[in-house]
Amino acid sequence: MTGVSQATVSLVLNGRADAEVRIAPETRERVLKAIRSTGYVADPIARRLASRHNRILGVFTYESVFPAGLGDFYHPFLVGIEECAERIGCDLLLLTSAPVVDGRRRIFHQDNRLRLADGCVLLGRSLDPAELERLLGEGLPFVSVGRRDDAGGPVPYVGADYPGATAAQVRKARELGHERMVYVGQGAGPESHADRFKGFAAEAADGVHIREVDLDVIIRTGATCVFVEEYADGVALVRQAEDNGLRVPEDLSFVALGDPTRPAVTDREFTGYRIPRREMGWQAVELLSEILEGRPKGTQRLLPCEPVPGVTLAVARG
Amino acid sequence: MTGVSQATVSLVLNGRADAEVRIAPETRERVLKAIRSTGYVADPIARRLASRHNRILGVFTYESVFPAGLGDFYHPFLVGIEECAERIGCDLLLLTSAPVVDGRRRIFHQDNRLRLADGCVLLGRSLDPAELERLLGEGLPFVSVGRRDDAGGPVPYVGADYPGATAAQVRKARELGHERMVYVGQGAGPESHADRFKGFAAEAADGVHIREVDLDVIIRTGATCVFVEEYADGVALVRQAEDNGLRVPEDLSFVALGDPTRPAVTDREFTGYRIPRREMGWQAVELLSEILEGRPKGTQRLLPCEPVPGVTLAVARG
DNA sequence: AGGCTTTACTAATACGCATTAGGGAGCGTT
DNA sequence: AACGCTCCCTAATGCGTATTAGTAAAGCCT
């Protein structure tokens, strides 16, 4: 149309006006006009093949992205991810095609399309260390939402400061006179669980750790304050306690360590803290973007959790 | 590693064993072993560049995909979309980078990446006819979630049968003795609004159409049953009515034509119908997939809405 | 006029795969 | 021995872009 070469169009299209390359303003205008009139858009595939990046960020979740049974626990993360992606002009590729093997999705499989994206964001309670290690090994840029242990090297992440937030709750309970405290939950396995327990153990040296969600066991410890790893477990325990004639929080206090990951029906707001999910999603994308541009300001970030006063923690009974 | 050519690897990788091409079983095994041991995966970008499809479906929404203010109206659509995509082994590309111009996102812009996907699903209350026309013109495979008017040609869609569902509600009201009925809402603009009104007008020939959400105007018509286009408007009107001493539904009945698109706080379930959002999302992807394979079974589908009995429609007052 | 520099562009190539025409090797047949 | 045929496999090419070496043209200087 304009009598110039494909190379020239490419140069104009990408606004290359470096010292190395120059295009006469008149030519540039002519090409731009043709581009505008035809609505020509460079093929993103070919562009990526040639230049190694395409402003697409992969989003890999170990569960469904749009969860049904998870009570939308992941939703706020995705809101943050989308907002930041939109802000920096990136599209999101949801890796929904990853097949489920042994009850969990696999990043690496026969036909994975991870490499289609410039980098990717990983979401899920627990990420397979072997897959993380391979990601690191292949040098594929990625950021985990949620802290992860090293996997043959430091894993870039944006996590929540569970230890700090949990410890703060323990301190608060102690200030209210609680002396005997119980941690109910795994306290291990996924980093988010381990971190909660770490915070608890650090602040409540004599605290008790119970793995089963069992009111009798809890009561037998003589504890006056219960820290539940899972919100939903707290809801169940409170119901049990009240069925047994205990008043909450007068007789027994409860602290929920984070937001519900399973749907939990209750009209009572638990004392505890809120995970900055949206912010985590946002910053994960931001960090990924920095990594892609080669100058990340620290590849591991912990964000503070916002305390929730709630109504399930009171002065310890005399 | 195996001493064979790149072409052979490609053939083995893609399981090409047609009559045209043959690979000795022994060679095939050798290559497969190398593939397995290295975890080699074909570059999806190059693959797409060469073969013209990559099992990626674009998802374009005129609003944010993960909505904040929309009360999650779109969420169920996305659940369906994701489920079907996962089922057929496709990844989803969320076109979040589309810039907002004049208050709405634009499909076509400087750097759009639509063509990266094999096809795409369009979501939003109203799609720009000009953009639809261009999509049709460029022959880019797509499916709209929600019925759309022709735009220089028939638009492939999976929509909700608003006319049928609305007409059914009108009939139900008439059976309960209602004679004077009012439709509150635009009744025009987006197809979903026009279709609701179409169903209303078809069944209630003498029905009144009011555009403002104004209780006084409604009462002045002498109507005993109000059909609200927007759930949230219904909620507001019911509150007003009760503040004015009217009982709902004894004195005034309400029917909500579909689910809330704006957040609406009420403990009362409105009589009306439910939009099969998840199913629409699912079938949109299914239809898109059929189109891509070249044998769609009809490119325009209307799905029935499920009636909701609710508590806001009663026998007309004597 | 000849040589040097700057300007403005193009030819050629790489990116990693899928595709296909075609070729070499081995074997049977005449 | 010459020919034909079947099997396997490879060389070559194209996909649409970004990049870079290189070149023609024009201008400048001596």
Side-chain angles (χ1 to χ4, degrees):
Chain A
M1 282 183 62
T2 58
V4 300
S5 69
Q6 175 263 323
T8 304
V9 175
S10 175
L11 294 173
V12 170
L13 202 58
N14 297 340
R16 291 279 306 270
D18 331 41
E20 301 299 303
V21 179
R22 359 198 14 158
I23 305 287
E26 186 251 15
T27 307
R28 171 183 305 276
E29 248 341 293
R30 199 153 35 92
V31 173
L32 279 176
K33 195 158 70 182
I35 288 176
R36 274 193 296 267
S37 78
T38 60
Y40 172 81
V41 181
D43 184 329
I45 297 277
R47 171 174 267 181
R48 161 76 192 209
L49 185 60
S51 76
R52 325 300 295 151
H53 70 275
N54 58 7
R55 302 202 71 73
I56 289 177
L57 304 181
V59 177
F60 185 91
T61 58
Y62 273 92
E63 292 87 13
S64 282
V65 178
F66 307 109
L70 284 169
D72 286 359
F73 178 71
Y74 286 123
H75 198 265
F77 291 115
L78 294 168
V79 171
I81 290 173
E82 187 194 12
E83 284 180 350
C84 188
E86 180 169 355
R87 173 66 163 277
I88 65 178
C90 284
D91 291 325
L92 294 178
L93 183 66
L94 302 186
L95 284 319
T96 45
S97 68
V100 175
V101 180
D102 297 337
R104 71 192 320 181
R105 277 192 177 163
R106 296 278 153 194
I107 297 183
F108 293 100
H109 62 276
Q110 189 58 29
D111 192 38
N112 89 69
R113 279 178 277 263
L114 229 40
R115 289 162 52 202
L116 196 151
D118 291 344
C120 90
V121 171
L122 266 39
L123 202 52
R125 181 161 324 180
S126 63
L127 305 185
D128 185 336
E131 298 206 305
L132 278 181
E133 189 163 348
R134 180 154 168 202
L135 273 176
L136 281 171
E138 299 200 356
L140 216 149
F142 75 100
V143 171
S144 156
V145 176
R147 190 187 78 75
R148 308 292 164 187
D149 292 329
D150 283 10
V155 176
Y157 62 74
V158 175
D161 182 13
Y162 289 117
T166 304
Q169 294 294 323
V170 174
R171 275 195 298 277
K172 195 166 65 180
R174 178 166 299 127
E175 283 163 14
L176 290 174
H178 292 277
E179 291 176 356
R180 195 137 186 82
M181 317 205 204
V182 175
Y183 180 100
V184 177
Q186 297 179 247
E191 286 85 349
S192 59
H193 289 179
D195 286 359
R196 285 176 170 97
F197 184 69
K198 211 178 299 170
F200 175 82
E203 196 66 34
D206 55 343
V208 182
H209 182 190
I210 297 180
R211 285 178 185 73
E212 318 83 52
V213 182
D214 185 327
L215 187 64
D216 292 337
V217 178
I218 292 173
I219 290 177
R220 241 176 279 140
T221 65
T224 57
C225 187
V226 183
F227 293 80
V228 290
E229 193 174 81
E230 284 280 353
Y231 204 102
D233 290 343
V235 172
L237 286 173
V238 166
R239 186 172 4 252
Q240 276 185 49
E242 293 185 333
D243 287 352
N244 285 15
L246 287 171
R247 290 168 306 161
V248 175
E250 291 80 359
D251 297 327
L252 193 56
S253 284
F254 281 87
V255 174
L257 304 176
D259 303 276
T261 59
R262 303 198 303 262
V265 181
T266 174
D267 51 357
R268 195 169 339 205
E269 187 175 38
F270 272 66
T271 299
Y273 51 79
R274 221 180 291 292
I275 305 166
R277 291 177 282 182
R278 180 159 152 178
E279 187 64 20
M280 286 167 72
W282 177 291
Q283 289 207 26
V285 173
E286 190 174 61
L287 175 54
L288 180 55
S289 156
E290 289 173 9
I291 290 176
L292 291 173
E293 288 172 8
R295 39 166 189 64
K297 316 189 192 79
T299 59
Q300 304 192 325
R301 299 185 191 167
L302 278 190
L303 273 36
C305 298
E306 183 200 350
V308 175
V311 298
T312 56
L313 173 62
V315 174
R317 79 185 156 205
Chain B
M1 283 182 63
T2 57
V4 301
S5 69
Q6 175 262 324
T8 304
V9 175
S10 175
L11 294 173
V12 170
L13 201 59
N14 297 342
R16 291 280 305 272
D18 333 41
E20 301 299 305
V21 180
R22 358 196 18 155
I23 306 287
E26 186 251 16
T27 306
R28 171 183 305 275
E29 248 341 292
R30 199 154 34 91
V31 173
L32 280 177
K33 194 159 69 182
I35 288 177
R36 275 193 295 268
S37 77
T38 60
Y40 172 81
V41 182
D43 183 327
I45 297 276
R47 171 176 266 180
R48 160 90 169 146
L49 187 60
S51 74
R52 321 303 293 149
H53 69 274
N54 58 6
R55 301 202 72 74
I56 289 177
L57 304 181
V59 177
F60 185 91
T61 59
Y62 273 92
E63 291 89 12
S64 283
V65 177
F66 307 108
L70 283 170
D72 286 359
F73 177 71
Y74 286 122
H75 199 265
F77 292 115
L78 294 168
V79 171
I81 290 173
E82 188 194 11
E83 285 180 350
C84 189
E86 179 169 355
R87 173 64 163 278
I88 65 179
C90 283
D91 290 325
L92 293 178
L93 182 66
L94 301 186
L95 284 318
T96 45
S97 69
V100 175
V101 181
D102 297 337
R104 72 190 320 179
R105 278 190 177 166
R106 297 278 152 192
I107 297 183
F108 293 100
H109 62 277
Q110 190 58 27
D111 192 38
N112 89 69
R113 280 176 276 263
L114 265 195
R115 288 162 50 204
L116 199 151
D118 291 344
C120 88
V121 171
L122 267 38
L123 200 53
R125 181 162 321 181
S126 63
L127 304 185
D128 185 337
E131 298 206 304
L132 277 182
E133 189 163 346
R134 180 155 169 202
L135 273 176
L136 281 171
E138 299 199 356
L140 214 149
F142 75 101
V143 171
S144 156
V145 176
R147 190 187 78 76
R148 309 293 165 185
D149 292 329
D150 283 10
V155 176
Y157 63 75
V158 175
D161 182 13
Y162 288 116
T166 304
Q169 294 295 322
V170 174
R171 275 196 298 278
K172 194 167 67 180
R174 179 166 297 126
E175 283 164 13
L176 290 174
H178 292 276
E179 291 176 354
R180 196 135 186 82
M181 317 204 205
V182 176
Y183 180 100
V184 177
Q186 297 178 248
E191 286 85 349
S192 59
H193 289 179
D195 285 0
R196 284 175 169 98
F197 184 69
K198 212 178 298 169
F200 175 82
E203 196 66 33
D206 55 345
V208 182
H209 181 189
I210 296 180
R211 284 177 186 73
E212 318 83 53
V213 182
D214 185 328
L215 187 64
D216 291 339
V217 178
I218 292 172
I219 290 177
R220 240 178 279 140
T221 65
T224 56
C225 187
V226 184
F227 293 79
V228 289
E229 194 173 81
E230 283 281 353
Y231 204 104
D233 290 343
V235 171
L237 286 172
V238 166
R239 187 172 5 250
Q240 276 183 48
E242 293 185 332
D243 286 351
N244 284 15
L246 287 171
R247 290 168 305 161
V248 176
E250 291 80 359
D251 297 328
L252 193 57
S253 284
F254 281 86
V255 173
L257 304 176
D259 303 275
T261 60
R262 303 197 304 260
V265 181
T266 174
D267 51 357
R268 195 169 340 204
E269 186 175 39
F270 273 66
T271 299
Y273 52 79
R274 222 180 292 290
I275 306 166
R277 290 177 282 181
R278 181 159 151 177
E279 186 65 20
M280 287 167 72
W282 177 290
Q283 289 208 25
V285 172
E286 189 174 62
L287 175 54
L288 180 56
S289 155
E290 289 173 9
I291 289 177
L292 291 174
E293 289 173 7
R295 40 167 188 64
K297 316 189 191 78
T299 59
Q300 303 191 325
R301 299 185 190 166
L302 278 191
L303 271 37
C305 298
E306 182 200 350
V308 176
V311 298
T312 57
L313 173 61
V315 174
R317 76 183 159 207

